[in-house]
Amino acid sequence: MTTLSIIKADTGGFVGHSAVHPDLLATAQEAARRAVGDGLLLDAHVASCGDDVSLIMTHEHGADSERVHGFAWDTFQETTEVAKRLGLYGAGQDLLSDAFSGNLKGMGPGYAELEFTDRPSEPVICFLADKTEPGAWNLALYKMFADPFNTAGLVIDEKMHAGFRFEVYDLFEEKRITFDCPEELYDMLMFIGAPARYVVHAVESRNLTEQAAATSTQRLSLIAGKYVGKDDPVMIVRCQSGLPAVGEVLEPFSFPYTVGGAMRGSHHAPLLPVSIPDAHTARFDGPPRVVALGFQITDGRLIGPRDMFADPSFDGARQQANTAMDYLRRHGPFEPHRLPLEDLEYTTMRALEARIAQRWQPMPEVATTMAR
Ligand code: 13P
Ligand code: 13P
Ligand code: MG
Ligand code: MG
Ligand code: MG
Ligand code: MG
């Protein structure tokens, strides 16, 4: 069995929340090189999207391994030290705990992990996003694994025709459930259409009983009890041979659907698919970005990455995203650009309510003139 783990954290932004400084990437690359040399990891690749560093790693220790999670935690401590020296913004932002204990659950860094027995050829896409929440993957996963207008294989590939099983987390109640699609599609959509609360955590093939996709599902604000930065999730999707083809896995991002998370974690904006050189944010701390790194995993080695969105066939999506961004931005502080009150990451509402509580009066029976 091989495990593919992506573990990520924002340990300091350059400039503001826009990107990762090259010295942080160099520090993480050096740590990864040592971990491969020491035999902890089979292979590793360091990548970034916006101000978040991702450690993409293959190993044989399984998911939730103390050694692999501990390595990531130590690496993020190192990059935080570099960020502090450079005075980068929000140094150590996602490290919410003082000490590592066993695994990263509830500690701040996000992770998606997938264990599999290597097929003769193992094409995988690693998606990294910035300025959004884990539910941002819901629409894309639905399209890849349940929508025949996206994925032709659901109709014409015998190995895919039985459909896929989705595991969904309720992040507010800390519960999970599985839905068998296609027959439970409508039930599932009732939940995953509300991505701030319900998040697809994993997808498996019903025919092959192989796990096909894994996402990072932690919500930083639910861990910290307050806004400390956006989650900026990652996702792994295995492709081909009874799973969606690479082109079917990329296709959902040809529509720059709207996600929560831009500017102070509190605005809806389109999800912009970009090349690796464009994986940083700018306008209104956004628009939220997604990059796709393609690998072939061979004997545990990460052959790649290929920069999958560095392609003119995504230019239309980028143009549409910019148009949608212009449209949403003109709403300023109004919904649906600003998130609804209950989903706002930042809020002055509690203090404001307390300050003006005494000034509210009952509405008059018949409103004629303004009350004095
Ligand atoms: P190739 O003939 O280029 O290998 O394409 C096969 C295929 O089915 C792509 O979707
Ligand atoms: P990050 O989670 O990417 O640090 O974004 C924080 C933010 O509020 C940007 O406006
Ligand atoms: Mg940040
Ligand atoms: Mg970020
Ligand atoms: Mg963040
Ligand atoms: Mg071919």
Side-chain angles (χ1 to χ4, degrees):
M1 292 281 267
T2 303
T3 304
L4 174 61
S5 300
I6 311 179
I7 307 186
K8 50 84 44 187
D10 175 351
T11 58
F14 172 60
V15 171
H17 291 288
S18 64
V20 176
H21 190 281
D23 290 3
L24 269 66
L25 291 176
T27 302
Q29 272 152 1
E30 176 52 28
R33 204 188 52 73
R34 285 196 311 264
V36 174
D38 294 347
L40 173 66
L41 304 177
L42 296 171
D43 203 355
H45 179 80
V46 176
S48 65
C49 185
D51 56 359
D52 293 78
V53 177
S54 279
L55 309 172
I56 301 174
M57 303 172 282
T58 48
H59 56 90
E60 291 172 317
H61 307 289
D64 293 310
S65 152
E66 176 162 4
R67 291 181 64 199
V68 174
H69 283 209
F71 161 72
W73 180 259
D74 291 344
T75 302
F76 293 139
Q77 299 287 342
E78 278 185 59
T79 56
T80 297
E81 286 311 309
V82 177
K84 282 182 180 161
R85 279 203 294 280
L86 294 171
L88 300 183
Y89 196 69
Q93 178 177 293
D94 288 353
L95 309 183
L96 302 181
S97 178
D98 293 332
F100 180 75
S101 60
N103 66 53
L104 288 171
K105 186 168 190 289
M107 299 191 67
Y111 50 96
E113 300 187 283
L114 209 157
E115 289 177 65
F116 52 89
T117 307
D118 304 29
R119 298 171 294 170
S121 179
E122 191 59 66
V124 172
I125 314 279
C126 296
F127 292 93
L128 318 176
D130 189 40
K131 305 296 180 270
T132 189
E133 60 193 11
W137 304 128
N138 286 3
L139 188 151
L141 286 167
Y142 159 73
K143 295 201 76 126
M144 286 174 213
F145 291 100
D147 179 3
F149 279 69
N150 181 90
T151 298
L154 294 167
V155 180
I156 66 174
D157 181 344
E158 216 166 296
K159 294 205 284 290
M160 292 175 70
H161 204 80
F164 288 85
R165 176 169 298 141
F166 289 69
E167 184 180 32
V168 174
Y169 282 13
D170 174 348
L171 296 182
F172 289 7
E173 298 273 326
E174 300 193 347
K175 296 187 295 199
R176 62 178 181 170
I177 189 170
T178 57
F179 293 102
D180 285 342
C181 294
E183 59 276 29
E184 295 186 304
L185 253 181
Y186 299 163
D187 294 347
M188 182 173 81
L189 282 168
M190 195 61 216
F191 294 97
I192 69 168
R197 173 165 181 173
Y198 299 99
V199 177
V200 179
H201 177 67
V203 182
E204 75 171 30
S205 159
R206 294 170 69 185
N207 176 53
L208 308 170
T209 54
E210 287 268 354
Q211 189 175 339
T215 72
S216 62
T217 37
Q218 18 323 84
R219 286 283 313 265
L220 285 165
S221 61
L222 298 176
I223 297 170
K226 61 178 190 323
Y227 183 61
V228 288
K230 210 62 201 173
D231 319 296
D232 308 333
V234 295
M235 170 168 73
I236 300 170
V237 185
R238 297 168 71 204
C239 312
Q240 308 286 156
S241 310
L243 304 177
V246 167
E248 292 167 336
V249 169
L250 299 177
E251 180 66 12
F253 299 98
S254 67
F255 167 55
Y257 56 92
T258 297
V259 297
M263 186 48 78
R264 301 169 187 273
S266 300
H267 293 80
H268 279 292
L271 184 62
L272 181 68
V274 291
S275 65
I276 293 168
D278 285 337
H280 44 68
T281 56
R283 184 181 182 189
F284 205 54
D285 283 2
R289 307 268 147 142
V290 55
V291 281
L293 285 76
F295 295 95
Q296 292 286 152
I297 298 180
T298 308
D299 302 324
R301 282 174 304 145
L302 290 161
I303 312 297
R306 265 213 70 228
D307 185 355
M308 307 306 286
F309 290 143
D311 191 87
S313 61
F314 285 93
D315 285 351
R318 292 188 267 266
Q319 195 164 358
Q320 199 180 7
N322 280 323
T323 305
M325 189 66 178
D326 286 337
Y327 170 82
L328 281 167
R329 273 281 46 234
R330 289 185 65 183
H331 292 76
F334 283 78
E335 296 175 12
H337 185 32
R338 197 181 76 182
L339 296 189
L341 289 175
E342 64 274 20
D343 292 338
L344 271 185
E345 293 276 24
Y346 260 75
T347 186
T348 44
M349 193 55 136
R350 277 182 289 280
L352 180 59
E353 272 175 342
R355 182 155 57 80
I356 65 169
Q358 305 307 318
R359 287 167 46 193
W360 289 103
Q361 302 293 324
M363 282 208 291
E365 292 292 317
V366 185
T368 48
T369 56
M370 187 167 148
R372 287 176 202 285

